[in-house]
Amino acid sequence: MNHSNHAAPPAAAPANAVPPRLSGERRNSAAKWSLSTIAEADRAAILGKKKWPQHVAALAATLTSLVGGAVLGWTSPVLDELHLMGPSGSWVASLAPLGALGGAALSGWLARWAGRKPLILALVIPNVAGWSVLVAASGNVSPSLCHSPGCASRAGFEVLVAPQIDMLYAGRLLTGLCAGAATVLVPMYSAEISEPAIRGTIGVYLDLSLTVGILMAYVVGGLAGQVYLSGLCGALSLVAAITFFFMPESPQFLVVKGRRAEAEDALRWLRTGSSAPTPKVAKYSSAATPPFAGSHRVDVSAELDAMTRLAVESEERERASGGILGAVRGLCGEGSVSPTSRAVVLVVMLMALQQLSGIDAIIFFLQSIFKKSDSSLEPMHSTIVVGSVQVAATLVAALLVERAGRRLLLGVSGSLMAASLAALLVYFLFHKELDVDLNAFSWLPVSCLSAFVFVYCIGFGPLPFLMMAEFLPLEARSWGCGLAACVNWSLMFVVVRVFNLLMNNIGEAATFGIFCAICILGTLFVLTLVPETQGKTPAEIRQYLQDREIHTVTRRVSTPGGVV
């Protein structure tokens, strides 16, 4: 920084030197300055560091996930509109998770080489193509009664001919591919650009965008139809790509690739909102004005050096452990179980529990569930209520995640999800199995599902993706995130594919009973085996996994090495 003193400045410190503000040097010279002067310098340094650029970059990245949320919510209004409630409807719904499985696998592998930003931008091509195909398929619908093998039919209902069904299949596969890739790339990018103090809030943005996308699908699809819904999603895909184009690449990725100058520019913008270089800080004497006084610029070299050390250590660990094969060998009992292996197990289990709770089967077939429940509200209105509750709950999660911690929110979420499903189980048991008149309780299905979605969105909805990026070390983040997302989407495919089969063969009560039991098991898993990651640096999280410490730690740490 420039000095206002007229005396000749002493020799400049090395470029990679830690600024005096971050060391004990200024404390040793404090006697030569007044306390008010030091306080003024500290205020200027604090004011220079901004958090809004991190929020802006993360929100821009999650715009792609908003369209991914519409992929999940698309089936609820559209399948009913097209009368696709048989096997064809089940395939139209489940092909999106199948495409997402491929997108997650590819993006996890490519992110290591191509980077986060280019891949997120590249998603615009298959996204626009997929939504265009859905518009074309929906725009040429000529429903007719048909029972031939070339038709997707359910007796007595209007149907779509085979070419239109094939277009729906193709469109769902393409849009699902993009949704799956986004669930890998966006959490990775968000975690790597954010400081530990706000990493939780930024991590919730992914689930917030998904829930907004689901609500948009319910409202637009229910009121305007699927042609307008698909066209709107295609347009939003373009808007997302244009907006994110102006955001920086992950500085951690740039450091790994040896592009330090670009990493410094990206990190400076993320921490200050400006890419202008910070003047070198001169060593000061008793006569010099304290550094940073009168300036709101922040030196990011210390944080950049920490990223460099993290990259070097990660590369050494990867060579020593053997990467993904080494992690697999550790899990199979060959050699010691590494922290990376433990992290992978925790992340995969959280992803599995998220999907086996039945959330996406409920989201996909919400209107059908409300029709079977004989709810007092119209099915379309009921789905909009539940979608609105999703968005509100995710906003609550964003406020709580850095206050209550991850582990507590997961425990509360899992237990209350089980309670909501238990109440729904009892309702269907009496209403459908025992044929009891429950007209006085016709409000119960909407209330139970709204409560289920609400508590899901404050815990098991956003936190597995957030903790995925927190648990996995840098050397395993690309393939680990890809693996976890593949587990998530593959289980979504299975659950969505068999949901109608379960409902038709074992009944609604038994189906929701299975999901209830899984939520109970998930709560026990979280409370006994999942450690807290709130406010922790990558080194601290790795140390907890190394020492097998399974407990809640509440100490907040904010250091230059805190970028995941």
Side-chain angles (χ1 to χ4, degrees):
M1 296 295 171
N2 294 331
H3 294 277
S4 60
N5 194 289
H6 296 290
N16 60 351
V18 178
R21 180 176 60 84
L22 301 178
S23 69
E25 185 174 339
R26 194 171 71 187
R27 294 192 194 93
N28 297 334
S29 303
K32 301 178 183 179
W33 294 334
S34 68
L35 291 177
S36 60
T37 305
I38 296 174
E40 182 182 351
D42 282 332
R43 265 198 313 275
I46 293 170
L47 287 171
K49 203 165 190 178
K50 301 179 178 68
K51 291 183 171 59
W52 66 261
Q54 299 169 60
H55 290 281
V56 169
L59 287 170
T62 55
L63 283 177
T64 301
S65 304
L66 187 148
V67 181
V71 175
L72 302 180
W74 187 87
T75 53
S76 183
V78 171
L79 293 185
D80 186 62
E81 180 182 344
L82 299 180
H83 303 299
L84 287 171
M85 295 303 169
S88 296
S90 181
W91 274 111
V92 168
S94 57
L95 278 176
L98 192 62
L101 173 62
L106 284 174
S107 60
W109 178 71
L110 290 173
R112 179 166 185 169
W113 314 107
R116 288 57 162 148
K117 180 180 177 179
L119 289 179
I120 293 176
L121 290 175
L123 293 180
V124 67
I125 299 174
N127 235 341
V128 171
W131 291 113
S132 298
V133 169
L134 290 175
V135 169
S138 304
N140 291 300
V141 168
S142 299
S144 59
L145 289 174
C146 172
H147 304 285
S148 69
C151 295
S153 64
R154 189 170 64 140
F157 284 88
E158 293 180 329
V159 297
L160 302 177
V161 295
Q164 293 162 341
I165 291 292
D166 292 339
M167 292 178 73
L168 291 177
Y169 289 165
R172 291 288 288 169
L173 272 173
L174 284 172
T175 54
L177 182 145
C178 297
T183 58
V184 174
L185 299 170
V186 172
M188 201 183 302
Y189 177 83
S190 298
E192 291 178 350
I193 66 169
S194 56
E195 300 172 90
I198 59 172
R199 190 176 60 217
T201 301
I202 284 180
V204 174
Y205 288 162
L206 170 68
D207 202 60
L208 177 62
S209 64
L210 289 172
T211 56
V212 171
I214 291 170
L215 177 60
M216 179 184 72
Y218 290 167
V219 173
V220 178
L223 298 179
Q226 20 79 25
V227 175
Y228 290 97
L229 172 59
S230 300
L232 175 62
C233 291
L236 286 177
S237 301
L238 289 171
V239 172
I242 293 170
T243 304
F244 189 62
F245 177 80
F246 298 99
M247 298 299 111
E249 173 62 283
S250 159
Q252 184 67 76
F253 171 78
L254 294 171
V255 166
V256 169
K257 292 302 179 182
R259 295 152 62 180
R260 185 181 174 93
E262 295 176 59
E264 185 174 2
D265 288 342
L267 187 60
R268 185 176 291 107
W269 186 87
L270 289 166
R271 299 296 180 263
T272 68
S274 171
S275 58
T278 303
K280 298 295 183 289
V281 179
K283 277 199 169 184
Y284 47 85
S285 64
S286 59
T289 301
F292 306 101
S295 171
H296 291 176
R297 286 183 177 178
V298 172
D299 187 3
V300 298
S301 60
E303 189 171 356
L304 201 61
D305 289 341
M307 287 184 177
T308 303
R309 288 193 297 272
L310 179 63
V312 172
E313 292 168 1
S314 298
E315 186 177 354
E316 292 173 351
R317 286 197 301 265
E318 184 176 26
R319 283 200 300 265
S321 65
I324 184 172
L325 295 179
V328 172
R329 283 195 296 269
L331 292 174
C332 294
E334 300 179 16
S336 60
V337 180
S338 67
T340 300
S341 301
R342 295 190 187 102
V344 170
V345 170
L346 288 172
V347 168
V348 167
M349 283 299 298
L350 287 173
M351 290 294 185
L353 291 168
Q354 183 195 66
Q355 283 306 318
L356 293 176
S357 70
I359 180 63
D360 282 300
I362 292 171
I363 295 300
F364 276 49
F365 299 107
L366 199 53
Q367 284 201 26
S368 299
I369 295 172
F370 282 128
K371 281 185 176 181
K372 292 184 178 182
S373 70
D374 299 323
S375 171
S376 57
L377 280 177
E378 286 291 327
M380 187 189 74
H381 296 156
S382 299
T383 57
I384 293 175
V385 168
V386 173
S388 302
V389 168
Q390 269 191 297
V391 176
T394 310
L395 290 172
V396 171
L399 296 175
L400 292 179
V401 69
E402 292 298 355
R403 294 172 173 81
R406 284 66 154 150
R407 192 165 173 264
L408 176 61
L409 287 179
L410 283 172
V412 171
S413 175
S415 58
L416 294 182
M417 284 164 63
S420 303
L421 290 174
L424 198 62
L425 180 160
V426 172
Y427 175 86
F428 275 111
L429 179 64
F430 280 91
H431 182 55
K432 294 290 186 179
E433 306 293 335
L434 304 179
D435 200 23
V436 176
D437 184 7
L438 295 178
N439 286 334
F441 298 95
S442 59
W443 50 267
L444 193 62
V446 174
S447 301
C448 289
L449 288 176
S450 296
F452 174 79
V453 167
F454 184 90
V455 293
Y456 167 84
C457 288
I458 66 171
F460 267 96
L463 297 186
F465 286 102
L466 166 61
M467 298 178 79
M468 171 181 72
E470 290 183 324
F471 277 132
L472 293 171
L474 182 61
E475 67 271 16
R477 192 166 296 153
S478 295
W479 65 262
C481 287
L483 173 64
C486 284
V487 170
N488 186 286
W489 288 103
S490 59
L491 287 176
M492 184 193 295
F493 169 77
V494 172
V495 172
V496 170
R497 189 75 183 89
V498 304
F499 179 72
N500 277 332
L501 294 176
L502 291 175
M503 295 274 280
N504 295 330
N505 288 281
I506 66 174
E508 294 86 351
T511 301
F512 288 113
I514 293 172
F515 293 147
C516 177
I518 292 172
C519 289
I520 294 172
L521 293 176
T523 303
L524 295 175
F525 173 79
V526 167
L527 296 179
T528 56
L529 294 175
V530 177
E532 181 60 80
T533 59
Q534 178 191 5
K536 303 300 170 288
T537 65
E540 288 177 307
I541 294 172
R542 181 177 179 81
Q543 189 62 48
Y544 298 149
L545 295 173
Q546 180 76 51
D547 297 340
R548 303 186 186 187
E549 295 182 8
I550 308 298
H551 63 281
T552 302
V553 182
T554 58
R555 180 171 61 91
R556 291 180 178 271
V557 178
S558 181
T559 69
V563 177
V564 177

